[in-house]
Amino acid sequence: MNKSDIEHPNSEIIKIAVVGPESTGKSTMSAFLARHFNTVWVPEYARSYCEKLTAAPTWQDEINMFTGQLALEEEFVPQANKLLICDTTFITVKIWSDHVFGESPREVLDELPKHPYDLYLLLNIDLPWEEDPLRDFPHMREHFMAVWYQELDALKANYVLISGTGDDRYDNAVAAVNTFLNRK
């Protein structure tokens, strides 16, 4: 056993991030993929955090959501069956902070390149918008889709755009994951 095995005992876990703008079906897709691949999925920490807020998230709230998402992922790694499906990542904190505050917390920027995912499934905005008290920008879906492309490209991330509705969307996501796994 070498030092990196001790530092990262679950490095054999493949991390799949399901990302995209609001109302693209990330949570539903994450749950579906976890069932399909017989593993667990990490819920979006920010959702449960924001449900408890009584005002708009502050700068400190964004930092708390960042650290909470990382901790939640670490908590789920030992339960994963080769794949860990992540319902979004803390890149969302960067995107929201940039939009709302004009900049991102230094902690987030420093950690982004240190926490890569093996594959990102970028969910397209081809689903109809669904109202939700925690969703804010139905008129800015195209903008945030462009931002997601920029962020993933900046990270040199391995990502696949997932489009379609109904079973086609799920089939496309499964196919993307299977293609990735077959290349490993």
Side-chain angles (χ1 to χ4, degrees):
M1 182 178 288
N2 63 40
K3 185 176 182 236
S4 65
D5 291 333
I6 295 167
E7 291 173 1
H8 303 288
N10 293 302
S11 60
E12 69 278 359
I13 297 296
I14 296 169
K15 292 173 84 174
I16 310 286
V18 180
V19 299
E22 295 177 304
S23 194
T24 54
K26 295 179 294 293
S27 298
T28 304
M29 180 65 76
S30 297
F32 171 83
L33 291 172
R35 278 190 310 276
H36 181 85
F37 290 103
N38 192 33
T39 191
V40 295
W41 64 285
V42 181
E44 180 184 11
Y45 182 82
R47 174 162 279 281
S48 62
Y49 186 93
C50 288
E51 286 174 342
K52 298 172 188 149
L53 293 178
T54 57
T58 65
W59 184 259
Q60 185 59 53
D61 289 324
E62 295 296 335
I63 293 169
N64 294 348
M65 286 183 266
F66 154 70
T67 57
Q69 187 69 42
L70 282 179
L72 196 57
E73 284 183 20
E74 287 302 312
E75 181 183 321
F76 276 81
V77 166
Q79 302 168 46
N81 181 16
K82 297 181 184 149
L83 294 178
L84 181 67
I85 309 297
C86 300
D87 177 1
T88 206
T89 71
F90 71 87
I91 296 172
T92 303
V93 171
K94 179 185 184 310
I95 290 171
W96 286 111
S97 295
D98 286 348
H99 182 75
V100 174
F101 302 109
E103 63 181 325
S104 293
R106 174 58 36 206
E107 304 91 312
V108 172
L109 298 175
D110 290 345
E111 290 300 315
L112 269 174
K114 297 177 189 175
H115 294 276
Y117 295 79
D118 298 287
L119 177 66
Y120 293 80
L121 301 178
L122 175 58
L123 301 190
N124 204 346
I125 55 174
D126 53 351
L127 292 181
W129 176 268
E130 289 188 24
E131 285 299 322
D132 180 315
L134 296 178
R135 293 183 181 145
D136 296 316
F137 302 105
H139 58 288
M140 296 185 71
R141 295 178 89 196
E142 291 83 7
H143 165 78
F144 283 111
M145 191 71 188
V147 170
W148 271 104
Y149 277 117
Q150 290 172 319
E151 294 296 335
L152 293 172
D153 287 343
L155 290 171
K156 297 179 176 43
N158 180 20
Y159 69 91
V160 176
L161 178 65
I162 303 299
S163 299
T165 58
D167 288 343
D168 288 342
R169 193 174 193 88
Y170 298 118
D171 292 346
N172 293 338
V174 168
V177 173
N178 281 333
T179 297
F180 173 78
L181 293 175
N182 289 334
R183 290 184 188 150
K184 288 206 62 76

